[in-house]
């Protein structure tokens, strides 16, 4: 790939702006930004230094100078925009959920493979150096045989009955909310760090009362699972847990040692053993070489969520340039999340153990 990569960002809300900052930090250009109205697009264009702003995303996709399309709209628009971007020959980053429906996600995987374009889904927590370090430690056997995987992903921003967002409407957000919105991040992270695949799930979900009646999608859930490696685990997911802002917490426990990652304290990896426990700070001696690529600033200068996105977009750009990048979450991972969501919903509604397809 010659010159700077030119990106079109479709959707200019919270995450569209995170993408825009990451594009610029990764050395790309924000060629277009698109939002639901021209006014919102123009305002976002000023904030993100986009070259053009439009309320018609098709206009951005028709620009032959655009290399990568970022789909950052509400969920129900992902499939249509991602499919159109592939048809236009663009590389595509599509926000999670890639598709609320697993069949649609599979179709996008096939379309992208036929077109030969790079795809990515921002399971962005993979891009913390401490997560890469934890993955390397599990992979080289430092923990011993993994016996237990557990954790939680808790938020509070929908905890009051009147709290609203398009995500609460199943027509825009999809049939699963807490699991489909944030549970999939936890599952992706757990599978990424451990190399185990969740093979069976059992689940209980709940919905709180809202002004128009109970939520139509789950506000929270407890999920038990087994993996293809014979490990058991559990995760608690909630968007109605007062005080918890974005508390993604993962613990992997092996025969010799444990490792814990806490998204709200992402520069540290907790390691437990029968002897002394330790806290490993990213970038210090002994951390895995695989983590180095994502250390954007030297140790002692805290890194965070936006930096993960820079690492993520940088890896997408490297893949567009022809590099084989380890650990890039692709549309196949987006499809995996849709399959897990389907199994979760079936488990929650039947109250049976459900096998995860694939
Ligand atoms: N990977 C992550 O960590 C992460 C974090 C937050 C959100 N997300 C995902 O990002 C997506 C957007 O979430 P958000 O929180 O930014 O939502 P948001 O409500 O803040 O923003 C949505 C944006 O989409 C725009 N939009 C709506 N219809 C459009 C259309 N027809 N054409 C162009 N733009 C349109 C809106 O104008 C708005 O700018 C969701 O799919 C969500 O799941 C991912």
């Amino acid at each position: 790939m010659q010159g700077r990569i030119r990106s079109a960002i479709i959707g200019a809300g919270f995450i569209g702006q995170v993408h825009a900052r990451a594009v610029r930090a990764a050395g790309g250009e924000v060629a277009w930004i698109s939002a639901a109205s021209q006014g919102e697009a123009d305002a976002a264009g000023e904030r993100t230094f986009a070259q053009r702003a439009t309320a018609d995303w098709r206009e951005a996709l028709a620009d032959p100078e655009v290399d990568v399309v970022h789909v950052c709209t509400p969920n129900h628009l992902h499939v249509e925009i991602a499919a159109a971007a592939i048809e236009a020959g663009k590389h595509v980053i599509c926000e999670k959920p890639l598709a609320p429906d697993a069949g649609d996600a599979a179709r996008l995987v096939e379309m992208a493979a036929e077109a030969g374009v790079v795809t990515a889904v921002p399971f962005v927590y993979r891009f913390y150096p401490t997560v890469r370090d934890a993955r390397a430690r599990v992979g080289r056997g430092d923990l011993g045989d993994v016996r237990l995987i557990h954790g939680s992903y808790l938020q509070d921003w929908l905890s009051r009955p009147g709290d609203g967002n398009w995500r609460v409407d199943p027509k825009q957000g999809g049939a699963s909310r807490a699991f489909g919105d944030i549970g999939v991040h936890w599952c992706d992270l757990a599978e990424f760090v451990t190399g185990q695949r969740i093979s069976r799930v059992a689940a209980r979900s709940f919905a709180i009362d809202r002004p128009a009646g109970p939520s139509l999608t789950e506000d929270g859930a407890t999920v038990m699972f087994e993996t293809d490696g014979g490990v058991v685990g559990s995760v608690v997911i909630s968007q109605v847990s007062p005080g918890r802002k974005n508390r993604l917490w993962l613990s992997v426990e092996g025969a010799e040692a444990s490792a814990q990652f806490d998204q709200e304290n992402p520069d540290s990896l907790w390691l437990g053993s029968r002897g002394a426990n330790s806290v490993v700070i990213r970038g210090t001696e002994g951390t895995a070489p695989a983590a180095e690529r994502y250390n954007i600033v030297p140790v002692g200068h805290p890194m965070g969520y936006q930096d993960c996105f820079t690492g993520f977009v940088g890896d997408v750009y490297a893949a567009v340039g022809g590099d084989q990048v380890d650990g890039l979450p692709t549309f196949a991972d987006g499809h995996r999340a849709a399959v897990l969501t389907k199994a979760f919903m079936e488990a929650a509604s039947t109250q049976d153990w459900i096998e995860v397809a694939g």
Side-chain angles (χ1 to χ4, degrees), residues 1 3 7 17 44 49 55 67 104 140 143 159 178 180 185 289 305:
M1 177 69 52
S7 280
Q17 294 183 48
F49 301 93
D67 303 299
D104 286 339
R140 67 180 185 227
L143 274 58
S159 64
H185 269 302
Y305 179 78

Side-chain angles (χ1 to χ4, degrees), residues 12-15 36 40 73-75 78 95-96 122 166-167 185 305:
F14 159 45
I15 213 69
E40 189 194 344
T73 61
N75 303 348
H78 289 185
E95 268 300 347
K96 38 59 55 177
W166 55 261
R167 287 169 175 80
H185 269 302
Y305 179 78

Side-chain angles (χ1 to χ4, degrees), residues 10-16 19 34-37 40 54-55 57 71-78 81 95-97 122-125 165-167 181 185 305 309:
I10 316 301
F14 159 45
I15 213 69
H19 281 241
S34 177
S37 72
E40 189 194 344
T54 180
W57 53 266
V71 184
C72 302
T73 61
N75 303 348
H76 67 298
L77 298 170
H78 289 185
I81 301 173
E95 268 300 347
K96 38 59 55 177
F123 288 120
V124 76
Y125 301 113
N165 184 262
W166 55 261
R167 287 169 175 80
D181 193 35
H185 269 302
Y305 179 78
F309 254 91

Side-chain angles (χ1 to χ4, degrees), residues 88-107:
K90 311 298 187 192
H91 305 289
V92 191
I93 299 174
C94 183
E95 268 300 347
K96 38 59 55 177
L98 174 59
D101 176 77
D104 286 339
R107 191 166 56 84

Side-chain angles (χ1 to χ4, degrees), residues 76 166-176 216-217:
H76 67 298
W166 55 261
R167 287 169 175 80
V168 178
D169 171 8
K171 289 196 186 76
Q172 296 182 75
S176 168
L216 297 174
T217 49

